[in-house]
Amino acid sequence: MSDTPFTFSIPTPSFIPTRMDNHITRRLSALRGQFRDQAAYEAMLEKEDTLIYEVYEVRRPEKAGELLSGISIIHPGKVGSEFFMTKGHFHKVLETAEIYYCLHGEGFMVMETPEGEAAVESLSPGKVLYVPPCWAHRSVCTSRQEDLVFYFIYPGNSGHDYGTIEQQGFRKLVVDGPNGIEIIDNPRWKK
Ligand code: PA5
Ligand code: NI
């Protein structure tokens, strides 16, 4: 891989970076066990393995000193009353931070620490979110028709730990309640 400086653009309306090395697509089947309404999940999956989100990675060596970045696009939709979201993860090197810069749409970042401290921040175009070391993070698209799009940057040696969240879920859920968007406790969360 070349070590000379490079530039790229993030054109609208596609938000697909002009330089990218990997296009990841995650479908409903990749989120088994994460949505509160399991019957709604199974019914939806039976009809179609819906595309929930996509990531365009600008690859760099996965080592300290490098920065990994890219674009995530979370599509609008719901499973039952719960909005489409990413799997979410801790970083394998727990003490690594991440920066998100929201470019399009509306949503939330749901976060928590291994000790169970929780935080939820809204995302809207132009907003920067700093996720400190040790905080697991999941993004949720609450736009009714628009994608949630953000640019992310994190240290090259971070890695991903998906297993912890797959087992315990996040403490907070973002749902479409009778009075609009609500952040509620996850009844199935286990520490
Ligand atoms: O590094 C990040 O936190 C993001 O790039 C996410 O990886 C991306 O949004 C997809 O989410 P996840 O990795 O939880 O599937
Ligand atoms: Ni991350």
Side-chain angles (χ1 to χ4, degrees):
M1 189 172 281
S2 157
D3 269 328
T4 52
F6 61 87
T7 67
F8 59 90
S9 312
I10 304 169
T12 55
S14 74
F15 295 101
I16 300 171
T18 55
R19 177 191 173 117
M20 62 97 178
D21 311 289
N22 197 19
H23 177 207
I24 300 165
T25 54
R26 289 228 217 272
R27 295 180 177 275
L28 191 59
S29 54
L31 284 139
R32 179 170 291 283
Q34 292 301 311
F35 289 100
R36 176 179 59 160
D37 187 340
Q38 293 183 65
Y41 174 87
E42 294 301 340
M44 197 168 163
L45 187 58
E46 203 172 318
K47 279 199 205 126
E48 191 191 338
D49 195 3
T50 308
L51 180 62
I52 309 285
Y53 63 101
E54 305 177 62
V55 181
Y56 293 92
E57 289 183 329
V58 181
R59 276 253 163 99
R60 294 295 305 164
E62 295 188 9
K63 61 182 193 191
E66 291 282 354
L67 293 172
L68 304 183
S69 74
I71 288 285
S72 291
I73 301 176
I74 297 105
H75 297 301
K78 289 185 287 184
V79 176
S81 63
E82 202 174 349
F83 293 102
F84 282 4
M85 60 193 187
T86 59
K87 279 169 74 78
H89 54 264
F90 286 97
H91 288 152
K92 196 175 268 173
V93 178
L94 192 60
E95 298 83 6
T96 43
E98 183 154 355
I99 283 182
Y100 283 80
Y101 179 47
C102 184
L103 298 170
H104 187 79
E106 300 288 333
F108 289 88
M109 186 72 82
V110 177
M111 294 164 280
E112 70 187 51
T113 65
E115 291 74 35
E117 192 182 350
V120 180
E121 291 290 341
S122 64
L123 293 172
S124 55
K127 203 161 176 181
V128 176
L129 169 65
Y130 183 74
V131 181
C134 304
W135 285 78
H137 39 284
R138 157 180 285 163
S139 40
V140 182
C141 174
T142 54
S143 295
R144 305 286 163 170
Q145 312 217 331
E146 305 278 319
D147 293 330
L148 172 68
V149 183
F150 52 81
Y151 180 63
F152 60 82
I153 311 169
Y154 61 97
N157 64 328
S158 305
H160 291 90
D161 161 18
Y162 289 103
T164 305
I165 293 300
E166 278 167 10
Q167 280 186 5
Q168 74 186 31
F170 275 85
R171 195 163 177 174
K172 299 287 178 185
L173 305 178
V174 184
V175 299
D176 199 9
N179 304 314
I181 297 165
E182 289 176 22
I183 294 156
I184 60 168
D185 286 331
N186 178 0
R188 290 171 34 237
W189 181 75
K190 26 183 198 301
K191 195 168 182 307

